[in-house]
Amino acid sequence: MNQQKLSAERLLVYIVLLVGGILMTLPLFWAIFTSFKTAAEAMQTPPSLFPNEWLIDNYKKLFVELNFGTYLRNTLVLVAFSFLGLFINMMAGYGFAKFKFKNKEKIFYLVLATMMIPGQATMIPNYLILNKMGLTNTMAGIILPGLAGAFTIFLFRQFMETIPDDLIEASRIDGAGNIRIFMQIVAPICKPIIAVQAILGFIHAWNSFLWPLIVANSEDLYTLGVGLSLLKGQNVSDFALQMTGSSVMIVPVIILFLFCQKYIVEGFTTSGLK
């Protein structure tokens, strides 16, 4: 009797999860399927989920007639430099975790204090500084403010403090220098937290919108996020084309998540990040 009750409860949970999953993913699949429709078919009433004929004309228009190839290149550059920023943050976390220097705690708390300031509040000062340096409307101006992040430094510092000091001291006794210890001892131990931060950095860079929109005056420096917003203004009536741009933005992130799901879960579990 109890087993029957348990099976019924489990079946109910499965049904609720299945219905919830379908409701959550339906808009995503609808956007992807709409990207293969014509503009007229995308606006037809009642709407259909699957296209009558699978067309790639919208994708051709995005990358041939519009400037999405340039937007994609700029976004990939931003993603590449986000990985460089990850390495810089990792080194900073290592310094705070394993090195002793004057006013270390005060400097660390000062770094933490920057987490309390909303990103929007620092945009105007950042813009004025970059303008003084002559870096507005350049790719360097888009990249530089995102290279270091207090939250990432904090996570690396907390994780690296769990690495035994004896392990590092033993490596020094064996003749290893600081760089070798960092690259061959510390970095491999930090794989879970590196994986999750790399994925979060990729998503942040891939979806970057507001800062590139503020700094860049030239369309040649726009990212995919900015380009997608232009579609809404330039092609108001072409709903299928807008869904194509959205699919270009979404699908790579989903693929990355599917391939790295194991490392994301492991990283969240290890770091306690929620």
Side-chain angles (χ1 to χ4, degrees):
M1 185 67 180
N2 288 336
Q3 286 183 347
Q4 289 179 348
K5 184 179 179 182
L6 187 63
S7 299
E9 289 177 351
R10 184 172 294 179
L11 180 62
L12 180 63
V13 170
Y14 286 151
I15 292 172
V16 171
L17 290 176
L18 180 63
V19 172
I22 292 173
L23 290 176
M24 291 288 290
T25 55
L26 185 60
L28 171 66
F29 285 112
W30 183 79
I32 294 174
F33 294 151
T34 302
S35 70
F36 294 98
K37 298 177 182 176
T38 62
E41 188 182 356
M43 297 295 291
Q44 75 179 10
T45 306
S48 60
L49 179 60
F50 297 103
N52 294 328
E53 187 178 356
W54 294 82
L55 302 172
I56 59 171
D57 293 358
N58 291 321
Y59 289 92
K60 287 181 180 177
K61 187 175 181 181
L62 274 185
F63 289 96
V64 177
E65 298 180 23
L66 301 176
N67 213 11
F68 257 65
T70 303
Y71 305 154
L72 178 61
R73 183 199 63 197
N74 294 337
T75 304
L76 290 175
V77 170
L78 208 56
V79 168
F81 276 93
S82 75
F83 294 143
L84 174 63
L86 176 67
F87 185 71
I88 293 171
N89 292 325
M90 187 178 166
M91 287 195 294
Y94 180 57
F96 281 120
K98 295 300 177 187
F99 284 84
K100 295 179 181 178
F101 52 88
K102 190 177 180 182
N103 295 324
K104 181 178 119 176
E105 292 301 319
K106 291 180 181 176
I107 296 173
F108 181 66
Y109 288 132
L110 187 64
V111 172
L112 285 186
T114 62
M115 292 170 56
M116 309 302 164
I117 304 173
Q120 291 83 356
T122 60
M123 282 185 175
I124 293 177
N126 283 339
Y127 182 86
L128 294 175
I129 293 170
L130 291 172
N131 193 38
K132 285 282 185 184
M133 297 169 66
L135 292 178
T136 51
N137 200 31
T138 64
M139 186 54 73
I142 297 174
I143 292 169
L144 278 177
L147 284 182
F151 183 64
T152 310
I153 293 172
F154 169 73
L155 285 181
F156 274 120
R157 189 249 197 187
Q158 296 301 102
F159 188 88
M160 289 174 180
E161 280 198 333
T162 63
I163 300 174
D165 292 335
D166 294 342
L167 180 63
I168 295 175
E169 290 302 324
S171 303
R172 285 204 175 96
I173 292 172
D174 288 341
N178 286 324
I179 295 177
R180 186 177 176 188
I181 292 172
F182 179 73
M183 298 299 294
Q184 296 187 353
I185 305 293
V186 176
I189 295 174
C190 295
K191 273 183 182 176
I193 190 73
I194 291 174
V196 72
Q197 286 301 314
I199 292 162
L200 291 176
F202 172 85
I203 294 173
H204 178 73
W206 187 262
N207 294 329
S208 59
F209 169 72
L210 188 55
W211 182 246
L213 182 64
I214 292 173
V215 174
N217 298 322
S218 170
E219 196 173 329
D220 290 337
L221 295 173
Y222 285 172
T223 58
L224 281 174
V226 181
L228 186 61
S229 71
L230 293 179
L231 280 182
K232 187 178 179 183
Q234 295 172 350
N235 298 277
V236 178
S237 59
D238 199 337
F239 199 59
L241 189 64
Q242 294 177 31
M243 291 300 103
T244 307
S246 300
S247 300
V248 171
M249 286 284 301
I250 295 170
V251 171
V253 178
I254 295 173
I255 293 173
L256 179 71
F257 179 81
L258 292 176
F259 276 102
C260 303
Q261 186 179 9
K262 173 187 172 186
Y263 300 105
I264 294 173
V265 174
E266 185 180 352
F268 281 147
T269 305
T270 306
S271 64
L273 183 64
K274 295 178 180 177

